[in-house]
Amino acid sequence: MARSAALFSAFRKEQTDPDHFYGTLARDTVAQLRSYTGLRGAVVVDVGGGPGYFADELRAAGARCVCVDPDPGELRLRDGRLPETAVMGSALSLPVRTGSVDVCFSSNVLEHVGDPPGMAAEMVRATRPGGLVYLSYTLWLSPWGGHETSPWHYLGGRYAAERFARRTGRRPKNDFGRTMFAVSAARMIRWARTRSDVEVVDVLPRYLPAWMRPVVHVPLVREFVTWNLLLVLRKRPGTPAPG
């Protein structure tokens, strides 16, 4: 409970103190990732890593990390400089050779991509046989599903974006249908379980206490309660990826 409370407290400072928020989240995430795989010497791709908070923590843990992001503005968001080993590229067409990385990692990016299964498939493609895919994202029906337009997204994503624009005089950064999309837990869990080239290692509510893990197995309820879904997949050796 203490861990979850600290994470949700950090969320309140996302806009006012992003270094605190993303630093806290990155440290917690890397500690979580290390419970599934060793990182010292591992080649890691951080998909959609923006200004590199996660990449910094991954390198501190001994990984060799490349941060891939399509938006130069996001890459320079922290201090105006590109993160170390940053590469511009799309999550739907990663500039990475097939089967070349030990860990393909992504935190809170999937809901910003128009083709979520396509992005997840790209992450699997880039991962070596026996390697790990760590994929987490915010569920649309969770309290933060609309991001800065929440909780009005419950009345519709476009309505929430228009309301935000009327009140602030600018479009939201997370603009439904353009830079943010509705992704459910059911869709991606089903996608993972139908892939012949991955083993589902874990499915859990990323920010919630361990005793709440069973909620991800309860249809509909999980969409509201899980908040942020984490899929941990291991690429099976010798199995060709589906087309």
Side-chain angles (χ1 to χ4, degrees):
M1 288 295 293
R3 168 185 171 266
S4 297
L7 288 172
F8 285 118
S9 175
F11 263 104
R12 297 169 58 191
K13 300 181 179 180
E14 180 181 5
Q15 302 295 323
T16 59
D17 190 357
D19 285 351
H20 171 75
F21 167 66
Y22 286 108
T24 298
L25 184 58
R27 287 187 292 274
D28 179 84
T29 301
V30 171
Q32 187 179 57
L33 177 59
R34 292 176 78 170
S35 70
Y36 295 102
T37 187
L39 291 176
R40 186 156 300 279
V43 177
V44 181
V45 168
D46 178 7
V47 180
Y53 290 99
F54 293 101
D56 285 352
E57 289 299 323
L58 287 162
R59 279 191 285 270
R64 293 180 290 161
C65 185
V66 175
C67 178
V68 177
D69 198 289
D71 187 340
E74 287 292 318
L75 287 168
R76 297 178 185 274
L77 198 59
R78 184 164 20 165
D79 53 15
R81 295 178 299 176
L82 290 175
E84 187 179 349
T85 66
V87 176
M88 285 191 64
S90 169
L92 296 173
S93 183
L94 293 172
V96 176
R97 292 197 310 272
T98 297
S100 62
V101 305
D102 299 303
V103 178
C104 206
F105 168 95
S106 184
S107 171
N108 294 326
V109 175
L110 194 74
E111 68 267 32
H112 304 294
V113 174
D115 180 10
M119 172 179 156
E122 263 296 274
M123 293 178 68
V124 173
R125 179 194 65 77
T127 306
R128 66 167 175 80
L132 205 73
V133 172
Y134 178 106
L135 175 60
S136 82
Y137 63 99
T138 302
L139 299 182
W140 175 247
L141 289 179
S142 73
W144 191 241
H147 290 45
E148 71 267 41
T149 68
S150 301
W152 301 100
H153 68 294
Y154 286 123
L155 298 180
R158 288 186 173 82
Y159 168 81
E162 293 298 334
R163 181 183 183 277
F164 182 94
R166 288 195 302 271
R167 291 176 62 87
T168 65
R170 60 182 176 86
R171 300 296 300 182
K173 177 181 178 181
N174 299 286
D175 198 345
F176 185 81
R178 187 176 63 87
T179 58
M180 184 176 64
F181 303 88
V183 192
S184 67
R187 183 182 186 186
M188 295 310 297
I189 291 172
R190 183 168 57 248
W191 172 89
R193 289 177 174 165
T194 57
R195 296 280 298 199
S196 61
D197 55 348
V198 296
E199 169 198 357
V200 179
V201 176
D202 218 344
V203 182
L204 69 157
R206 178 182 175 192
Y207 304 144
L208 302 184
W211 56 267
M212 291 194 69
R213 292 169 67 105
V215 75
V216 300
H217 303 296
V218 183
L220 189 59
V221 172
R222 64 189 172 197
E223 305 294 345
F224 292 90
V225 176
T226 298
W227 191 292
N228 189 280
L229 185 75
L230 171 60
L231 296 174
V232 182
L233 314 173
R234 192 173 303 280
K235 190 169 181 178
R236 299 184 189 275
T239 304

